[in-house]
Structure formats: structure tokens, C-alpha cells
Amino acid sequence: MPAAEDRLRRAERRRAERRRAEDARAWEVPGFGSPADTAWLASGDEDDDRSRLSPDWQAAEADTRFLSRQARRLVSGSGGFDRIYRAFVAARAGLGLALVLAQGLAWLLSPTPSAVSALLCVAYAAQALALWLLPRFGGRVRPAAMARPGSGPWLATIGVDLLAFSLLHLLSRQGALNYTPLLVLPLLMAGVLSPRLLALGTASAVALMLLGVAWRGVQEGGEVATLMAQAGLAGIGFFVLTLLAGELAGRLAREERTARGSMALARQQAQLNRLVIEQMHEGVMVVDRRSRVRTANPAARLLLGEAGMWPPAPFTLDDSEAWRALRDAVQQAFDDRAWPTDGREVPLRFAGGSQRTVVARLRFTPPGTRAADGQAGELLAVLFLEDLRLVQARTRDAKLAAMGRMSAGIAHEIRNPLAAITQANALLEEDELSDGQRLLTRMVGENAQRLKRIVDDVMEVAPGVPPAPVVFDAREAVAAMVDDWRRAHRLPADGSSPLQAVWPSQSLPVRFEPEHLRRVLVNLLDNGLRHASGRPASVRLRLDRADDGQVRLAVRSDGEPIAPEVERYLFEPFYSTRSRGTGLGLYICRELCGRYGARIDYRLRDPDEDCRNEFVVLMRGGDAAGSEATSST
């Protein structure tokens, strides 16, 4: 199997290299017809944008499938100059065979056939056929070669044609065949493939040759007016033909360059679209009627995976049993051509027992969309997936935005009377009080402190100017915070401690605020210890670097798994499962993380693991690089 996969990968690489080579040749669009166009062509400017946005050019090529068949052929095929040059070479070969056939008929039907003309036609046919066949095994002719009359390709085509057809025209005075129309071929070739000045010079040489032959006919007794008029009109016609061919070729070159420019812009736009979709926090998938996922961005693959990112597309919704509900919903949408406008909640039940609910919004491709070959396109569904918890959190944030400012004002007003109550209670405790009175003052003091903590929590997340993030070593800071927390809870530092902490041996710079990171870490450790069993290593902390360069702080505990109906409210303010809890701890953690571009999330790990409850904080890394080596305490 590995050998077969290697062969498939090598074959795919070879196909991709061939496509890139053909595309590179296509960018050599000739500027035939005008010196400026020829200069543009000769410069070899291949405006290749494939390396400016994305190193994955093969993926960017797939984005051009929406273009028409003609545009794709224009870009993926050979260059315009090469196509037209080969067409002229093939026409020369066909003309050579026709001349040989005409000479054979002349030998059969004419009483006085010309042996010189026959030999000349056979030699021309042999040269034309050889030039038509041999370049298939050699290199291509560059446009700059046809811009010089002394170059090999120019002499082998236009030069040979002018010489052969001029000789045939001279010899035709004693025969019945008229070879003058044959001169159209080299003039067309010069007008299309050579600069205008060289093409007009070629037409001038042909006109002078015709006049010379006419003058010779006059010397031999021909009528001067008739012969010179025929030669003059033929020369003028050849001039007009050359100019028209050059103008038409120049227009073709300009249109081809315009098409290639549009193709480059389309590719650039496709790459930009791909870049935007890949960076979206919302999952995006394209699914067909057979439940085959054509493409999926990283956010969608992360939602589909249980404990990581699902492999890249293509794949099918039948590959995982956890996606059954999503697959059935998509199939039903294809049958009904309908989907709720506000989206639909679809549960993903994984084999490990965990569940994730996503909000799915579906849009079909427009009915008029057609494939690249012009045929009616296949109906596709574009799925937008988002974690239900994020949707609910966003909704809660919108509802609490106005309440936040009001709560901050109320909390600020409560501080003054609360401070007065606390001070008055402290003065009462200094007097001689009975046991009942002391119990009352202690109750007042405890509840005043509780109110003070609530006010502090509210003021912590109140709207205002947050402190600027600083870059500091997370490993050193977390180690100090863990030591302080362990001492505050009187936990041992040996293997019997409920807390097991693991972090890298080298620094992990992050962009955060140290005191706010302490607030987040202490809250997670307190929650973990409160719900853990208390056995050694029942609370586990790990600090390391994630694959995408972010710094990951994970706190796990072996407590009972959080129920799904509770999980959706974990980060909601004022929601708590404890009677004396404020419900602001995790909400404050999320708000503090959001201030510094970090994210906090909860996930339930596999049933075969000891500590299934895990809270993960992903923080932006600093400038320095971390290390993969770890040490434990």
C-alpha cells in the first residue's frame, strides 16, 4: 500500500508539472503585427502571479474552473504565436504536396512539361514536409526569430517560399500554370508573424520581383501597358493583404493579452477568495447530492473532528457515523430544495460519547450556474457551519452589551455604601458585644465581602480602555502562579499532590497581561480542584506550543463530565451550579482572553482517559520560538 500511494503521488506531481509547463508556455503571447507588440513578446514577460498569494499553485489552478472553455483553452494550451506558426508550416506542407500533384498531372496531360519546375516543386515539398515533421522532436520557434530576416526560421519558411515561388513564376512564362497566387502564403506569414516594417519590406521585394518579370516580358515583345498594369495591381494587392494581415494579427494579440490579463485577475481573485475562506472562523463546505464534500475550510474540518482537525477534502459525509444527522439533513434539503433561513441545529454525536451541536445554514448554487464546458452545472450545496455555543455566546454578548454599561454604573454606585457598611461593621466589632451580636456582625462582614467580590467582578469586565498586551515568558509566569496557588491551598509539591503541572523547559513568550493571565489560571485551577476527586494528579495543567504557533494552556480534571445542558451555559454570566456561586468566573475568563486575541474553550476528552474535563486557552505567541522539550513538577 505505501508503494502504491507513492506511485500515485508521483503521478499526480508529474501531471501538475505538465500543467504548469503548459501554462507557462501559454503566457508567451506573441505581439505579432506591430513593433510594440513584438517588443512585448520578445521581452519574455510572463506575468505569472502564481507565487504572489499562495505557494499552493495546484490548488489555485482548481479555482479557474469557473472560466469558460475558450478562456481555459487560451491559457492552458500553447501560445498564440506557436499555434499560428505551426498552422503556416502545415499549410506549406500541404501546398508542397499539392504542387507535386499538379506537376504530376502536368507530366501526364501537358505535351511539353517543365522538368525544372517539377524538380523545384519536389524539392519545395520535401523541405516543407521536413520542416513540418522535424520540429515535433525539437524546440519551439521563438517570436524574436521571425523578427530578423537573417534568422534560420525566417529563411526556412518565408525565405524559401519567396525564392521557390519567384522561380516558379519566372518559369511559368513558358508553361500553362500561373504561380503568382502562391506568393500570398509568404506575405501572409510575414504580415502575421513579423513586425510591420519587415512585412512591408517583404511585400516590396515581391512587388519589385513582379515588376522585374513584367519588364522582362516587355523586353521580349510583350505589351507594356498590360504587363506593367498586371504587375502593379498585384503588387498593390499584396501590400494591402500584408497590412490587413498585420492589423488583424495585432488585434488578435491584443485581445489575447487582454484575455490573459483577465485570467490573471480571475486567478488572483480566486486565490483571495480561498485565503479569506480559509481564515474564516465559520466553517464552509461544498457538498453535492451524493454527500461528497468537494471542499472544506479548516474551520469546518475542525468542527467535524472529535478531538482534532478532519483531513482535507474530498471526503463524504458517510465517512463518520457522527455526521449521520448532518448527512440526512443535507439529503433532505436536496430533495425539498429548502432550508430554514435562520439555519438548523444539527447534533454531531461522536463515538467517544461527546456531542457537538452546530448551526448549519445552507445555500444552493444558482440555477443558472453552468460548468466550464457550457453544459448545465451540477447542483451543489454550500454549508456554513458554526458551533452553537459560539452563536449563543454572540447572542448573549449582543444582549449584554447595553446591560454592561448599566451594570458598571450600578456597581460603581454600590461601592460607596458598601464601603460604609464594611467600615461601620468593623467599628461595631471593636465594642463589647454579646455572642449573638458578634454572630450578626460576622454575618454582615462575610456578606459585605461577598458583595465586594461581585462588584469587583462586574467592574473587571466593564467597558473601558483595556491595558495594552505585553510580551512575557508564559513558562516562568505560569510556574510562579502555580507555586503561589499551591501554597494558598496548602497542597504538597511532591507526587501526592492533586495538581500535576507540565511545561516546556525553555521560554514560551506570549502576548497577554500577567495579572489577567493569573486571574484566568486561578479560576480554572479553582474550578478543577473543586470538582476533582482529590487523588494524586486529579488536576493536570499543561503548557506547550500548538501546531499553529499559538501557546496552549490546558487544565484537566477527573471530575464528573459536564452535562450537555450545562455545557452550553458555561461561559454565560450569572449562571452557576453552586448556590453561593456568582456565575461570573468563566465569563470573566472568556472576556479577558478576548481582550488579547486569545480563546478559551471546553471539551470532553475520550472515555478511556482519567481526566476528561478539559479547559483550553490558546494565546498569541510572542517573537521568540519555544521548545518542544518538557519538564514536570
Side-chain angles (χ1 to χ4, degrees):
M1 289 298 292
E5 293 178 357
D6 291 340
R7 286 195 296 271
L8 288 175
R9 283 195 294 268
R10 287 196 295 270
E12 182 62 28
R13 282 197 298 269
R14 286 194 295 270
R15 286 194 294 269
E17 290 173 359
R18 284 196 297 270
R19 287 196 299 268
R20 285 193 291 268
E22 292 176 354
D23 187 74
R25 288 197 298 270
W27 281 92
E28 291 189 8
V29 185
F32 22 80
S34 66
D37 293 337
T38 304
W40 174 85
L41 189 278
S43 67
D45 184 11
E46 298 180 2
D47 188 14
D48 194 349
D49 63 332
R50 66 186 66 176
S51 62
R52 287 184 289 183
L53 291 178
S54 172
D56 190 3
W57 179 245
Q58 183 179 354
E61 283 181 337
D63 292 327
T64 64
R65 294 174 183 171
F66 64 90
L67 298 172
S68 65
R69 180 175 60 183
Q70 291 80 2
R72 290 192 296 114
R73 178 180 60 81
L74 182 67
V75 175
S76 62
S78 302
F81 177 86
D82 189 60
R83 293 195 303 271
I84 296 179
Y85 176 81
R86 290 189 179 279
F88 275 116
V89 171
R92 294 180 72 251
L95 182 59
L97 293 177
L99 288 174
V100 172
L101 180 61
Q103 291 297 326
L105 293 175
W107 275 85
L108 293 176
L109 303 177
S110 178
T112 58
S114 174
V116 178
S117 297
L119 291 176
L120 185 59
C121 289
V122 171
Y124 176 80
Q127 191 269 348
L129 287 172
L131 188 64
W132 180 49
L133 297 175
L134 292 180
R136 295 180 180 274
F137 307 99
R140 295 186 301 117
V141 175
R142 298 291 178 178
M146 298 301 295
R148 301 190 306 272
S151 63
W154 196 94
L155 293 175
T157 53
I158 299 176
V160 170
D161 288 356
L162 291 177
L163 177 62
F165 298 156
S166 297
L167 292 176
L168 288 173
H169 179 63
L170 288 172
L171 296 174
S172 66
R173 293 185 305 107
Q174 291 84 19
L177 296 178
N178 183 13
Y179 296 98
T180 305
L182 298 180
L183 293 168
V184 172
L185 179 62
L187 292 178
L188 278 177
M189 198 170 182
V192 172
L193 300 180
S194 299
R196 181 176 299 172
L197 184 62
L198 179 57
L200 293 178
T202 305
S204 301
V206 172
L208 291 175
M209 184 272 297
L210 293 177
L211 290 175
V213 174
W215 179 255
R216 182 177 176 180
V218 172
Q219 297 296 323
E220 294 178 356
E223 186 177 353
V224 60
T226 302
L227 293 177
M228 296 304 290
Q230 289 177 352
L233 289 176
I236 294 173
F238 287 154
F239 266 102
V240 174
L241 180 67
T242 303
L243 286 174
L244 289 178
E247 289 298 326
L248 292 176
R251 181 173 181 178
L252 174 63
R254 289 189 293 272
E255 290 180 353
E256 192 167 355
R257 287 201 307 274
T258 302
R260 294 185 187 281
S262 301
M263 190 69 177
L265 292 176
R267 281 178 169 166
Q268 186 181 47
Q269 186 62 44
Q271 287 180 311
L272 288 173
N273 294 340
R274 175 179 293 274
L275 179 64
V276 170
I277 292 175
E278 287 182 352
Q279 297 299 321
M280 287 176 59
H281 293 294
E282 187 178 22
V284 180
M285 293 195 311
V286 179
V287 187
D288 60 20
R289 180 178 287 277
R290 299 181 299 276
S291 298
R292 186 171 182 265
V293 179
R294 303 289 186 87
T295 182
N297 68 343
R301 290 156 47 202
L302 187 63
L303 288 174
L304 295 178
E306 180 178 7
M309 188 175 294
W310 192 263
F315 54 87
T316 66
L317 295 180
D318 298 324
D319 292 346
S320 177
E321 189 64 23
W323 308 336
R324 176 184 295 182
L326 182 61
R327 178 199 60 200
D328 295 342
V330 172
Q331 289 300 319
Q332 187 65 35
F334 272 106
D335 295 337
D336 300 340
R337 295 290 195 278
W339 191 273
T341 306
D342 296 334
R344 176 180 296 171
E345 296 183 11
V346 181
L348 304 179
R349 297 182 176 88
F350 299 101
S354 61
Q355 176 176 321
R356 178 182 296 124
T357 303
V358 297
V359 178
R361 293 182 293 111
L362 186 143
R363 297 292 184 271
F364 289 106
T365 53
T369 302
R370 292 186 172 269
D373 58 359
Q375 302 298 323
E378 180 183 3
L379 184 64
L380 299 175
V382 183
L383 271 175
F384 300 91
L385 304 178
E386 195 169 7
D387 196 327
L388 177 61
R389 293 175 299 177
L390 296 179
V391 176
Q392 293 174 339
R394 188 164 57 246
T395 303
R396 291 193 300 267
D397 290 344
K399 292 180 180 180
L400 293 173
M403 293 181 60
R405 292 187 293 269
M406 182 181 66
S407 299
I410 294 175
H412 182 73
E413 294 298 327
I414 291 177
R415 276 186 168 180
N416 293 330
L418 184 60
I421 293 173
T422 304
Q423 184 177 8
N425 187 66
L427 293 176
L428 286 176
E429 288 180 342
E430 295 178 358
D431 298 337
E432 293 291 336
L433 301 175
S434 63
D435 294 340
Q437 292 173 333
R438 289 193 177 278
L439 177 61
L440 293 176
T441 55
R442 185 167 63 252
M443 291 175 60
V444 171
E446 291 175 355
N447 285 277
Q449 289 299 321
R450 183 184 177 190
L451 284 175
K452 183 178 182 302
R453 287 194 300 271
I454 294 176
V455 170
D456 292 341
D457 289 342
V458 171
M459 295 300 296
E460 186 72 40
V461 295
V465 180
V470 296
V471 178
F472 62 95
D473 184 7
R475 181 194 64 83
E476 181 179 351
V478 169
M481 296 173 190
V482 168
D483 289 340
D484 294 341
W485 183 84
R486 183 185 286 117
R487 285 194 298 269
H489 289 77
R490 296 185 177 86
L491 299 179
D494 53 18
S496 62
S497 174
L499 175 65
Q500 181 189 68
V502 179
W503 45 69
S505 59
Q506 295 186 1
S507 63
L508 279 178
V510 296
R511 295 182 178 274
F512 217 91
E513 205 282 324
E515 287 304 317
H516 286 169
L517 179 59
R518 177 188 295 272
R519 183 72 177 271
V520 173
L521 177 60
V522 168
N523 190 286
L524 296 179
L525 291 176
D526 287 343
N527 287 343
L529 183 63
R530 183 181 303 113
H531 298 286
S533 63
R535 295 192 298 265
S538 58
V539 178
R540 300 178 184 177
L541 180 146
R542 183 176 184 86
L543 180 70
D544 59 5
R545 185 178 295 277
D547 295 337
D548 56 359
Q550 297 185 93
V551 177
R552 176 172 49 203
L553 175 65
V555 177
R556 300 164 55 187
S557 66
D558 63 352
E560 290 296 325
I562 298 177
E565 60 271 13
V566 176
E567 180 183 346
R568 65 177 61 186
Y569 300 110
L570 278 178
F571 299 97
E572 184 173 345
F574 306 113
Y575 179 84
S576 177
T577 57
R578 296 187 300 125
S579 60
R580 297 182 63 84
T582 63
L584 289 173
L586 291 177
Y587 172 73
I588 292 175
C589 291
R590 191 193 67 177
E591 292 298 314
L592 293 179
C593 290
R595 291 183 181 182
Y596 306 104
R599 292 189 297 114
I600 183 172
D601 198 5
Y602 165 82
R603 65 177 180 176
L604 187 63
R605 300 187 67 89
D606 296 336
D608 56 348
E609 298 190 27
D610 296 336
C611 299
R612 299 188 62 190
N613 294 313
E614 181 179 41
F615 286 88
V616 179
V617 178
L618 291 175
M619 298 174 285
R620 296 167 53 193
D623 297 330
S627 172
E628 295 297 331
T630 59
S631 61
S632 301
T633 60

